[in-house]
Amino acid sequence: MALRVAVASGGIWQLRRTIEVLSDCELVRWRPPMRLPEVDAVAGWGRKDTAVRSWRRAAKLAKPYVSFE
């Protein structure tokens, strides 16, 4: 069973099919401030400033943070 990974980044979401194949993860759309869906991890676009919100949410929920580059 693939890991379910929350994605807030529009750029990652546009590449979701490629990322899912390469990572064997199921990407789940998350649009803050909506409640985070049931997931195994939270993803962001590298270590960019825009990924900080996802990284903080992952830490707050004690979920792994996945950094896509």
Side-chain angles (χ1 to χ4, degrees):
M1 178 192 280
L3 290 178
R4 290 176 45 89
V5 180
V7 174
S9 166
I12 292 174
W13 190 249
Q14 287 179 348
L15 298 170
R16 71 186 173 277
R17 299 294 175 229
T18 302
I19 293 170
E20 286 177 337
V21 168
L22 294 173
S23 67
D24 195 31
C25 292
E26 175 190 351
L27 300 187
V28 178
R29 186 69 162 145
W30 167 47
R31 294 177 187 238
M34 289 175 36
R35 199 178 99 224
L36 186 68
E38 188 62 38
V39 293
D40 302 303
V42 178
W45 199 250
R47 292 287 188 174
K48 292 173 59 173
D49 291 340
T50 56
V52 170
R53 180 179 4 193
S54 295
W55 180 80
R56 286 185 180 151
R57 179 60 58 109
K60 182 178 179 179
L61 297 172
K63 302 268 184 191
Y65 175 74
V66 177
S67 177
F68 290 116
E69 293 285 337

